[in-house]
Amino acid sequence: MEFESVSFSQLGATPLYGDYINGNPELRSFFGKSDPFNPESFSRFVSGRFGSVKRNQLADFLVSYNKQFAACRNTIEAAESLRSKDVFTVVTGQQLCFLGGPGYSFYKTLTVIALSRSLKAATKLSIVPVFWMADEDHDYDEIDHVWLPDFRKDGIIQKFSLPKNRLKGHAAAFLKLDHADEILSEINQAAEPGSAYASDLHRLHKSWQTGRPWVQAFGELMLRVFGKYGLILAGSNHADVKKLCRPVFETVLVKQPELTQIVSDTSAKLAGKWHAQVTVTDSLLFWHHPEKGRLKIPYLESGWMFPDEASPRTFTRESVRQAGDDFFAKLSPNALLRPVIQQYLLPNLAYTGGAAEIAYHAQLKAFFEAFELDLPIILPRFSATVIEPEIRKSMAHMPFSFTDYKKREDDLAHELVQVQLRESGNKLPDEVLKEWKNRNKHLFESYFRSFVNTGSSLETSLKSTLSRMEKNAEQFASKVIREKKKQDRLAIKRISNVRSALFPGGLLQERVTGWAFFYALYGDSFLEALVEELSTDTLEKIRHHHIIYV
């Protein structure tokens, strides 16, 4: 396995993301003064403000929570270790995507595993990795599918989707798998039945059977693959979490207008130079309705408008304490409040995520402080593109760099023809066309201009004739290019195959292709090699995109 780094600037990183990974000091006011890429920052952060959840209560919850996913001994020991005040966490998280979802979920998990190792070596801190399952997210369309190669169609990436779920609109924690066996059978057929890849992919299907709880399927898959590294799973859609984090929800119920104003003010400052990732709405809370799903609880001037209630409710510090735990169990945090819940529950040093997550954390520093918490150190996740041997071989025959394949397929084919014509000593059709236009225009102008009066119908006719001739010439030049493409179909096919592998749909591979593909194809040795590679110089390696040649 070989590694090659690529700058995010070559991949079109957003200005905020680019500035963050390059250490722009102007962003420090939004994230904190510490350098996130300096290990000493983590040593200093342990003296910061964390939530008031007692360590034994936290460990009891995490041990019980992870056991339901058939956690191995390493995961349970990691959860138990949090009873000590000297043990901390690094966190990432993601929606509960079918069969694990796209590659970046895999790389997020690798990042927290590697960080827990590399930071322990650099700082002597005891750190365990946590994956936060977004079990309260209700966007079914984002989790109901996986993209995998279909070897019935030359290995082109295809979308395999589960049918509409009868509980669509409810949080993922309440979903059960409907008709999963049918789509898993189709995936098996697309995976060259009888091959080692198909056999290993089938083993990943084990937990994703029709009728099983969605969260159970996802959790079991994650711990089956990553549990040996001591990965701990956590989530907020649990009565114990709502009880442990009740002070956070009480604060929101009493101080909603003040809290949203804090985020709005920060977002406005951020938008002065960069952009605000998350739109600030009139509410930080949702409600789990047994029939209607996860519903936003609007906040009006007169109070909270709960579903199925005729009039708004208001809360004071005194009245909110009278509400029972069952009431809080039905509350659900929005995208801005969820990181606060994570930080209140866990003794967390850092959160690692993609560009969008780094952007919305830039809106939250003062928001965290309103809950008497410090924003954790925010880090980019590991980012990579896997290049298989056949794809690498095809790339060797092409005149393009890795980043060139972001371009449209037709544009790449056009460039290839131009390169081939240059190498054969011919002029390019575009160059010939330009010369012809200039010479033709000069000839017409020099000869016919003396017969034409300005503004006359003859001048109009002259311009029209020139325009028609140029258009015909352009069409002919295009035909030359198309004919050249037809003559080299093999090269055009290579372009299509390489681009589909590296930038499916024009997006980075990690944003589309399911990580189950590479894991099933290359197995635990692939995972172990990545963990080993990423566990040294982790804070530097996550500042770049990586090409992995397997």
Side-chain angles (χ1 to χ4, degrees):
M1 190 179 292
E2 301 172 41
F3 294 82
E4 178 184 328
S5 63
V6 177
S7 169
F8 281 111
S9 63
Q10 295 178 265
L11 297 171
T14 63
L16 189 151
Y17 190 66
D19 284 347
Y20 191 74
I21 60 177
N22 290 320
N24 186 335
E26 292 180 77
L27 276 171
R28 291 286 173 85
S29 63
F30 296 100
F31 290 97
K33 296 179 180 179
S34 297
D35 178 1
F37 302 104
N38 185 341
E40 293 181 5
S41 298
F42 296 84
S43 298
R44 290 192 292 268
F45 194 86
V46 298
S47 60
R49 292 178 295 176
F50 299 95
S52 58
V53 175
K54 294 179 179 179
R55 288 302 193 101
N56 282 336
Q57 290 178 312
L58 170 62
D60 286 344
F61 164 70
L62 290 175
V63 168
S64 173
Y65 187 75
N66 281 267
K67 280 184 177 179
Q68 68 178 310
F69 305 116
C72 68
R73 183 181 64 185
N74 292 358
T75 291
I76 298 303
E77 287 179 353
E80 288 281 7
S81 73
L82 286 167
R83 296 186 190 279
S84 169
K85 63 180 178 61
D86 297 321
V87 180
F88 299 89
T89 64
V90 287
V91 177
T92 193
Q94 189 56 41
Q95 293 162 301
L96 314 185
C97 297
F98 180 50
L99 278 182
Y104 62 75
S105 295
F106 185 81
Y107 299 137
K108 280 183 169 186
T109 312
L110 284 177
T111 306
V112 289
I113 291 170
L115 279 170
S116 67
R117 295 177 164 204
S118 63
L119 289 175
K120 183 176 182 178
T123 65
K124 308 307 178 186
L125 293 171
S126 293
I127 301 171
V128 293
V130 175
F131 186 97
W132 190 277
M133 301 196 293
D135 53 5
E136 298 204 65
D137 192 278
H138 65 279
D139 194 339
Y140 181 74
D141 292 338
E142 292 193 10
I143 66 171
D144 70 345
H145 61 274
V146 65
W147 290 81
L148 296 169
D150 188 338
F151 290 99
R152 298 168 301 185
K153 302 176 181 178
D154 297 326
I156 299 299
I157 299 296
Q158 299 289 328
K159 184 178 183 180
F160 297 91
S161 298
L162 290 164
K164 183 176 179 180
N165 196 289
R166 60 187 178 81
L167 290 177
K168 182 177 180 179
H170 290 258
F174 299 115
L175 296 178
K176 290 193 175 183
L177 291 160
D178 286 349
H179 304 287
D181 295 344
E182 298 170 17
I183 195 68
L184 291 174
S185 176
E186 185 181 346
I187 289 172
N188 284 337
Q189 291 301 313
E192 290 185 319
S195 67
Y197 161 66
S199 177
D200 288 339
L201 183 62
H202 183 71
R203 280 198 284 272
L204 295 181
H205 297 176
K206 184 177 179 181
S207 61
W208 295 89
Q209 304 303 314
T210 297
R212 300 201 73 217
W214 196 293
V215 67
Q216 192 82 20
F218 186 90
E220 287 182 8
L221 173 64
M222 292 297 289
L223 290 189
R224 188 181 306 132
V225 176
F226 300 105
K228 63 184 176 182
Y229 298 106
L231 181 71
I232 301 169
L233 301 181
S236 58
N237 196 55
H238 194 286
D240 287 349
V241 174
K242 302 294 174 63
K243 187 174 181 178
L244 292 171
C245 297
R246 177 169 170 154
V248 173
F249 290 103
E250 288 182 352
T251 298
V252 173
L253 289 168
V254 174
K255 300 173 67 175
Q256 162 76 29
E258 178 183 331
L259 293 170
T260 51
Q261 189 60 53
I262 289 172
V263 183
S264 294
D265 291 345
T266 303
S267 301
K269 292 177 184 176
L270 189 69
K273 182 168 183 179
W274 296 282
H275 71 284
Q277 181 69 28
V278 178
T279 301
V280 183
T281 66
D282 60 356
S283 175
L284 296 165
L285 295 174
F286 284 79
W287 181 259
H288 291 301
H289 192 284
E291 286 86 37
K292 300 176 183 178
R294 185 171 180 254
L295 304 175
K296 178 183 170 184
I297 312 172
Y299 185 84
L300 312 175
E301 289 185 9
S302 52
W304 294 94
M305 196 70 236
F306 283 82
D308 300 336
E309 295 190 5
S311 56
R313 277 204 245 177
T314 59
F315 295 89
T316 64
R317 280 293 181 191
E318 292 70 30
S319 66
V320 78
R321 294 192 185 102
Q322 304 304 313
D325 289 336
D326 57 338
F327 166 78
F328 285 92
K330 294 178 181 178
L331 293 176
S332 177
N334 77 347
L336 294 173
L337 188 60
R338 184 181 64 244
V340 175
I341 297 295
Q342 292 171 353
Q343 196 66 14
Y344 188 87
L345 180 70
L346 300 167
N348 188 43
L349 301 181
Y351 183 88
T352 180
E357 290 167 291
I358 288 177
Y360 77 66
H361 275 91
Q363 299 172 249
L364 299 181
K365 181 174 178 290
F367 185 60
F368 269 63
E369 292 168 353
F371 294 93
E372 299 182 354
L373 296 169
D374 288 325
L375 184 74
I377 296 170
I378 307 300
L379 294 170
R381 61 166 173 81
F382 182 64
S383 175
T385 297
V386 178
I387 298 183
E388 299 173 81
E390 285 302 313
I391 296 299
R392 188 177 188 180
K393 184 188 295 184
S394 292
M395 292 175 70
H397 292 283
M398 294 287 112
F400 306 119
S401 68
F402 166 73
T403 54
D404 283 335
Y405 287 97
K406 292 191 303 176
K407 300 174 184 176
R408 293 172 60 250
E409 193 173 310
D410 284 348
D411 293 337
L412 288 170
H414 187 83
E415 289 181 26
L416 177 63
V417 168
Q418 291 181 319
V419 169
Q420 291 173 333
L421 287 171
R422 284 197 190 97
E423 290 177 346
S424 63
N426 292 308
K427 284 187 175 182
L428 302 182
D430 290 347
E431 295 172 348
V432 174
L433 180 63
K434 185 177 181 180
E435 291 177 9
W436 181 87
K437 284 182 178 181
N438 290 336
R439 188 166 58 248
N440 197 47
K441 185 175 181 180
H442 175 74
L443 179 62
F444 268 61
E445 288 284 341
S446 61
Y447 181 75
F448 291 113
R449 177 54 62 184
S450 60
F451 300 100
V452 176
N453 295 321
T454 302
S456 67
S457 60
L458 197 56
E459 183 185 42
T460 301
S461 179
L462 173 61
K463 291 180 178 179
S464 177
T465 300
L466 280 171
S467 177
R468 285 196 303 272
M469 292 175 67
E470 289 182 358
K471 187 175 181 179
N472 288 336
E474 289 168 359
Q475 291 175 344
F476 182 77
S478 295
K479 286 181 180 179
V480 171
I481 295 291
R482 286 199 298 272
E483 186 61 31
K484 182 63 178 171
K485 289 179 184 178
K486 289 179 182 178
Q487 292 172 5
D488 200 350
R489 291 179 180 176
L490 177 59
I492 303 305
K493 181 66 174 176
R494 281 178 181 152
I495 289 174
S496 178
N497 289 343
V498 172
R499 187 174 181 275
S500 176
L502 307 188
F503 293 92
L507 300 173
L508 271 173
Q509 179 194 84
E510 63 180 20
R511 301 203 63 80
V512 181
T513 306
W515 63 261
F517 168 61
F518 294 112
Y519 182 74
L521 191 62
Y522 298 110
D524 279 330
S525 60
F526 173 69
L527 173 60
E528 289 162 7
L530 287 178
V531 170
E532 183 178 353
E533 172 68 21
L534 190 53
S535 293
T536 57
D537 299 322
T538 310
L539 293 175
E540 177 59 29
K541 287 174 181 173
I542 58 178
R543 300 173 79 170
H544 309 274
H545 184 79
H546 297 265
I547 300 172
I548 303 172
Y549 297 103
V550 292

